[in-house]
Amino acid sequence: MLARPPKSTASSDELLSCTRLARWRSFELTDTFPPAMAQPEAGLSPQVQEQLAALQLGSRTLIWLEGCDVRAARGAVKLAEKLGCTVHVGESNGSRSLKSVMASEGWLGTTLSEVSARTELVLTLGDGIIREAPLIAARFFRSVTRTSQPYWLHLSPTRIVAAIRGNVATPNEIVHVPRADWFNWLTELAMCLQADRAAPDSAPTVGLTGESVKLVANRLRATEHSVWLWDNDELHEGTDELIIRRLLTLARQLSETRRCALLPLDSNVGRVTADETLLWLTGCSNTASYVAGQWLTQPRYSGYTLADWEASFDAIILVSNLPTMKSLPNLRADLLMQTQSLNEPYALQVAAVGVTDSGHLFRGDRGTVHYFPALQRGVAPTAASVLSHLATTAQAKTMEVGSATRT
């Protein structure tokens, strides 16, 4: 295992090339990400090669992509084809609930490009979207390229938005709605908008949320083009699917006479990139197994818990080479590749995106490209190089299909 690198003593110029985590935490605002400089590839040390050689890999191996760049995702697919194993992109509960609603009821979606160019009213739900992507406002609905700026209304459960510091764009208006009241509040809003046809003043109001419901309803009635945005992981509880369905109800009501859209954003750009790359290369989304020379999606993996994944595979490789604000899943991995070592025997520090690669990360469904140059240069191998080494040295093994024997 590689040792944790010492704290950087970089100059002010070097600090301009920082990790995504440092940039997000410091709320540093720039118009564009600087292109990453190509650096010499850090080779695999004898200690790392020895550690990799000890892995028992075969057809019952799982490559879990928690978040990575295109090169690492391609390396995972190549290794899976060599071993005849499975690649899975970590999916949040929020993504699962969203897909469930979309599959059963359809969707009224949009893109950040449309938000940036046409939206008149932006409603952000929950503080996660601001905490995880504090630059989104300045880049998309506070863009200097717009001739008219949209009105930004934020629904906060904690009132912490007022404490946003620095030169990050802040909402025009903040409405406080406790998290436990979101479903009832959105239901009341839908009823208020429905009553608009006959007698808007007679719309029902409940408790202290009545005034805020009327306020938001009036904003929506006066707007021809509105959009709801939230962080995908904001609505992660099982009952949160009801909130997503209520948002869809609102979008449908308003879209009868105007344009109202929904846009959940996955702030884990590396997870989006991994899923898009897997789809390009295999034709399978989220989970793909290489069986008898072809890529297949196994229905039995749908809805697996972390314990199910651990019980179904004899070896697990977890890849996360993009700094993120979110913690890694509590998944017992035989090899964990990440940008910062956990000082565990199975952890291997790899270079963050942008250290030795071009740093390209594609949010395929957002139409944007991100560059993430890292502060430390050339101190560790890339995840792609480690996966490539495994694909070159590992021997595919035919293993019995059935329950795993892990203890």
Side-chain angles (χ1 to χ4, degrees):
M1 180 183 68
L2 298 179
R4 184 185 297 274
K7 291 185 178 180
S8 171
T9 56
S11 65
S12 59
D13 290 337
E14 290 172 328
L15 288 174
L16 294 176
S17 177
C18 60
T19 63
R20 173 179 184 262
L21 182 60
R23 185 188 297 275
W24 254 224
R25 280 181 173 171
S26 65
F27 296 120
E28 180 180 353
L29 182 61
T30 57
D31 293 333
T32 58
F33 283 109
M37 298 296 292
Q39 299 295 318
E41 178 79 14
L44 301 184
S45 67
Q47 293 83 357
V48 170
Q49 295 187 40
E50 182 179 354
Q51 180 180 354
L52 297 178
L55 292 174
Q56 300 296 318
L57 304 180
S59 60
R60 294 183 59 78
T61 294
L62 172 67
I63 307 173
W64 180 295
L65 304 180
E66 182 62 21
C68 62
D69 60 342
V70 176
R71 283 195 61 203
R74 288 183 180 274
V77 169
K78 181 180 179 181
L79 176 59
E81 290 177 342
K82 176 70 176 292
L83 298 175
C85 65
T86 298
V87 179
H88 173 73
V89 180
E91 182 180 33
S92 68
N93 291 337
S95 297
R96 189 176 304 163
S97 297
L98 179 64
K99 289 180 179 178
S100 175
V101 174
M102 293 174 66
S104 62
E105 297 195 22
W107 200 244
L108 288 171
T110 184
T111 64
L112 280 174
S113 298
E114 184 182 16
V115 172
S116 179
R118 300 183 57 190
T119 301
E120 301 170 8
L121 173 63
V122 176
L123 302 103
T124 48
L125 179 64
D127 297 332
I129 188 67
I130 297 178
R131 181 178 61 252
E132 297 295 332
L135 304 184
I136 188 174
R139 291 186 176 167
F140 292 99
F141 42 94
R142 284 285 191 273
S143 173
V144 295
T145 61
R146 291 198 57 159
T147 56
S148 61
Q149 300 298 325
Y151 193 87
W152 178 14
L153 192 151
H154 179 70
L155 278 73
S156 172
T158 59
R159 301 181 188 269
I160 68 170
V161 182
I164 292 179
R165 56 190 173 85
N167 54 358
V168 177
T170 55
N172 297 98
E173 189 169 11
I174 299 174
V175 174
H176 174 64
V177 181
R179 181 66 169 80
D181 295 339
W182 278 7
F183 178 76
N184 290 334
W185 188 91
L186 291 169
T187 300
E188 192 175 340
L189 178 61
M191 295 173 64
C192 187
L193 291 172
Q194 186 69 23
D196 184 39
R197 295 180 178 178
D201 292 338
S202 63
T205 59
V206 178
L208 299 177
T209 63
E211 291 303 316
S212 63
V213 165
K214 289 183 178 180
L215 183 152
V216 176
N218 289 335
R219 291 286 182 194
L220 289 168
R221 291 189 190 107
T223 304
E224 292 297 321
H225 197 299
S226 58
V227 62
W228 292 82
L229 285 89
W230 67 94
D231 179 17
N232 212 16
D233 289 337
E234 186 83 50
L235 303 177
H236 62 277
E237 301 289 345
T239 55
D240 286 345
E241 186 174 322
L242 297 174
I243 296 177
I244 300 175
R245 293 181 185 275
R246 187 60 72 233
L247 288 167
L248 183 58
T249 298
L250 289 168
R252 283 177 172 163
Q253 283 182 345
L254 291 165
S255 294
E256 291 180 0
T257 57
R258 49 181 63 86
R259 167 73 165 150
C260 180
L262 307 176
L263 183 57
L265 297 177
D266 193 333
S267 56
N268 186 338
V269 185
R271 184 167 59 197
V272 177
T273 297
D275 199 17
E276 292 287 336
T277 307
L278 186 66
L279 182 61
W280 299 337
L281 298 179
T282 69
C284 303
S285 180
N286 196 242
T287 307
S289 299
Y290 195 69
V291 181
Q294 61 179 334
W295 286 100
L296 301 173
T297 297
Q298 303 285 2
R300 67 188 182 93
Y301 295 144
S302 178
Y304 260 28
T305 64
L306 290 180
D308 293 330
W309 290 110
E310 290 182 348
S312 299
F313 295 92
D314 293 322
I316 297 177
I317 299 174
L318 177 60
V319 182
S320 178
N321 70 332
L322 177 67
T324 178
M325 300 283 285
K326 300 183 184 299
S327 59
L328 293 175
N330 187 22
L331 184 71
R332 182 175 53 172
D334 296 82
L335 175 63
L336 169 60
M337 286 185 277
Q338 61 174 18
T339 55
Q340 293 183 352
S341 173
L342 286 176
N343 292 325
E344 295 290 343
Y346 56 83
L348 174 63
Q349 183 186 4
V350 294
V353 172
V355 178
T356 57
D357 296 333
S358 63
H360 286 74
L361 280 167
F362 298 93
R363 276 182 102 142
D365 55 340
R366 311 293 179 232
T368 57
V369 181
H370 298 260
Y371 298 91
F372 297 122
L375 184 60
Q376 299 290 339
R377 297 183 180 275
V379 296
T382 63
S385 66
V386 175
L387 292 167
S388 177
H389 175 83
L390 289 174
T392 302
T393 59
Q395 298 295 322
K397 301 176 183 179
T398 302
M399 304 182 72
E400 181 181 355
V401 177
S403 299
T405 57
R406 296 185 61 169
T407 58

